[in-house]
mmCIF file of all heavy atoms in Angstrom:
data_model
loop_
_atom_site.group_PDB
_atom_site.id
_atom_site.type_symbol
_atom_site.label_atom_id
_atom_site.label_comp_id
_atom_site.label_asym_id
_atom_site.label_seq_id
_atom_site.Cartn_x
_atom_site.Cartn_y
_atom_site.Cartn_z
ATOM 1 N N ARG A 166 50.262 -30.596 -46.647
ATOM 2 C CA ARG A 166 50.418 -31.633 -45.615
ATOM 3 C C ARG A 166 50.335 -32.962 -46.296
ATOM 4 O O ARG A 166 49.356 -33.285 -46.983
ATOM 5 C CB ARG A 166 49.285 -31.475 -44.579
ATOM 6 C CG ARG A 166 49.397 -30.190 -43.794
ATOM 7 C CD ARG A 166 48.297 -30.043 -42.739
ATOM 8 N NE ARG A 166 47.194 -30.965 -42.826
ATOM 9 C CZ ARG A 166 46.869 -31.830 -41.873
ATOM 10 N NH1 ARG A 166 47.513 -31.864 -40.708
ATOM 11 N NH2 ARG A 166 45.814 -32.634 -41.965
ATOM 12 N N LEU A 167 51.309 -33.763 -46.041
ATOM 13 C CA LEU A 167 51.482 -35.050 -46.822
ATOM 14 C C LEU A 167 51.566 -36.163 -45.845
ATOM 15 O O LEU A 167 52.195 -36.117 -44.722
ATOM 16 C CB LEU A 167 52.732 -35.042 -47.690
ATOM 17 C CG LEU A 167 52.831 -33.908 -48.727
ATOM 18 C CD1 LEU A 167 54.207 -33.907 -49.377
ATOM 19 C CD2 LEU A 167 51.713 -34.036 -49.759
ATOM 20 N N LEU A 168 51.019 -37.340 -46.234
ATOM 21 C CA LEU A 168 51.162 -38.622 -45.498
ATOM 22 C C LEU A 168 52.141 -39.475 -46.376
ATOM 23 O O LEU A 168 51.860 -39.693 -47.581
ATOM 24 C CB LEU A 168 49.860 -39.301 -45.351
ATOM 25 C CG LEU A 168 48.790 -38.613 -44.520
ATOM 26 C CD1 LEU A 168 47.439 -39.284 -44.694
ATOM 27 C CD2 LEU A 168 49.174 -38.573 -43.067
ATOM 28 N N ILE A 169 53.216 -39.924 -45.778
ATOM 29 C CA ILE A 169 54.149 -40.770 -46.486
ATOM 30 C C ILE A 169 54.310 -42.080 -45.730
ATOM 31 O O ILE A 169 54.641 -42.105 -44.518
ATOM 32 C CB ILE A 169 55.531 -40.139 -46.635
ATOM 33 C CG1 ILE A 169 55.375 -38.761 -47.354
ATOM 34 C CG2 ILE A 169 56.519 -41.009 -47.373
ATOM 35 C CD1 ILE A 169 56.655 -37.970 -47.474
ATOM 36 N N GLY A 170 53.968 -43.189 -46.375
ATOM 37 C CA GLY A 170 53.950 -44.481 -45.702
ATOM 38 C C GLY A 170 54.179 -45.624 -46.681
ATOM 39 O O GLY A 170 54.473 -45.457 -47.837
ATOM 40 N N CYS A 171 53.988 -46.854 -46.181
ATOM 41 C CA CYS A 171 54.200 -48.030 -46.972
ATOM 42 C C CYS A 171 53.010 -48.942 -46.965
ATOM 43 O O CYS A 171 52.413 -49.197 -45.871
ATOM 44 C CB CYS A 171 55.431 -48.776 -46.503
ATOM 45 S SG CYS A 171 57.001 -47.950 -46.714
ATOM 46 N N SER A 172 52.614 -49.470 -48.120
ATOM 47 C CA SER A 172 51.642 -50.543 -48.157
ATOM 48 C C SER A 172 52.395 -51.865 -48.161
ATOM 49 O O SER A 172 53.544 -51.892 -47.678
ATOM 50 C CB SER A 172 50.793 -50.401 -49.455
ATOM 51 O OG SER A 172 51.649 -50.539 -50.573
ATOM 52 N N LEU A 173 51.850 -52.920 -48.636
ATOM 53 C CA LEU A 173 52.511 -54.184 -48.615
ATOM 54 C C LEU A 173 53.724 -54.236 -49.531
ATOM 55 O O LEU A 173 54.734 -54.864 -49.226
ATOM 56 C CB LEU A 173 51.540 -55.308 -49.070
ATOM 57 C CG LEU A 173 51.690 -56.656 -48.468
ATOM 58 C CD1 LEU A 173 51.560 -56.615 -46.953
ATOM 59 C CD2 LEU A 173 50.644 -57.622 -49.021
ATOM 60 N N ARG A 174 53.664 -53.515 -50.654
ATOM 61 C CA ARG A 174 54.769 -53.553 -51.652
ATOM 62 C C ARG A 174 55.161 -52.213 -52.224
ATOM 63 O O ARG A 174 55.969 -52.154 -53.147
ATOM 64 C CB ARG A 174 54.347 -54.505 -52.830
ATOM 65 C CG ARG A 174 54.377 -55.939 -52.452
ATOM 66 C CD ARG A 174 53.557 -56.751 -53.468
ATOM 67 N NE ARG A 174 52.139 -56.385 -53.439
ATOM 68 C CZ ARG A 174 51.167 -57.173 -53.819
ATOM 69 N NH1 ARG A 174 51.478 -58.388 -54.371
ATOM 70 N NH2 ARG A 174 49.937 -56.804 -53.776
ATOM 71 N N HIS A 175 54.591 -51.126 -51.683
ATOM 72 C CA HIS A 175 54.878 -49.801 -52.233
ATOM 73 C C HIS A 175 55.127 -48.790 -51.126
ATOM 74 O O HIS A 175 54.521 -48.801 -50.053
ATOM 75 C CB HIS A 175 53.665 -49.270 -53.056
ATOM 76 C CG HIS A 175 53.487 -49.973 -54.358
ATOM 77 N ND1 HIS A 175 52.992 -51.251 -54.505
ATOM 78 C CD2 HIS A 175 53.784 -49.527 -55.669
ATOM 79 C CE1 HIS A 175 52.988 -51.570 -55.781
ATOM 80 N NE2 HIS A 175 53.443 -50.517 -56.513
ATOM 81 N N LEU A 176 55.992 -47.825 -51.475
ATOM 82 C CA LEU A 176 56.092 -46.574 -50.686
ATOM 83 C C LEU A 176 55.116 -45.600 -51.424
ATOM 84 O O LEU A 176 55.031 -45.571 -52.632
ATOM 85 C CB LEU A 176 57.512 -46.029 -50.805
ATOM 86 C CG LEU A 176 57.757 -44.620 -50.147
ATOM 87 C CD1 LEU A 176 57.671 -44.690 -48.662
ATOM 88 C CD2 LEU A 176 59.149 -44.115 -50.597
ATOM 89 N N PHE A 177 54.342 -44.824 -50.613
ATOM 90 C CA PHE A 177 53.387 -43.973 -51.203
ATOM 91 C C PHE A 177 53.380 -42.595 -50.505
ATOM 92 O O PHE A 177 53.847 -42.439 -49.343
ATOM 93 C CB PHE A 177 51.965 -44.539 -51.184
ATOM 94 C CG PHE A 177 51.446 -44.777 -49.768
ATOM 95 C CD1 PHE A 177 50.892 -43.736 -49.046
ATOM 96 C CD2 PHE A 177 51.435 -46.009 -49.207
ATOM 97 C CE1 PHE A 177 50.394 -43.896 -47.783
ATOM 98 C CE2 PHE A 177 50.945 -46.226 -47.923
ATOM 99 C CZ PHE A 177 50.430 -45.167 -47.184
ATOM 100 N N CYS A 178 52.808 -41.604 -51.186
ATOM 101 C CA CYS A 178 52.638 -40.240 -50.638
ATOM 102 C C CYS A 178 51.234 -39.816 -50.985
ATOM 103 O O CYS A 178 50.804 -39.934 -52.135
ATOM 104 C CB CYS A 178 53.656 -39.306 -51.217
ATOM 105 S SG CYS A 178 53.414 -37.567 -50.750
#
Side-chain angles (χ1 to χ4, degrees):
R166 294 181 348 121
L167 304 172
L168 298 168
I169 302 175
C171 293
S172 61
L173 211 59
R174 288 162 294 202
H175 285 76
L176 175 70
F177 64 80
C178 175

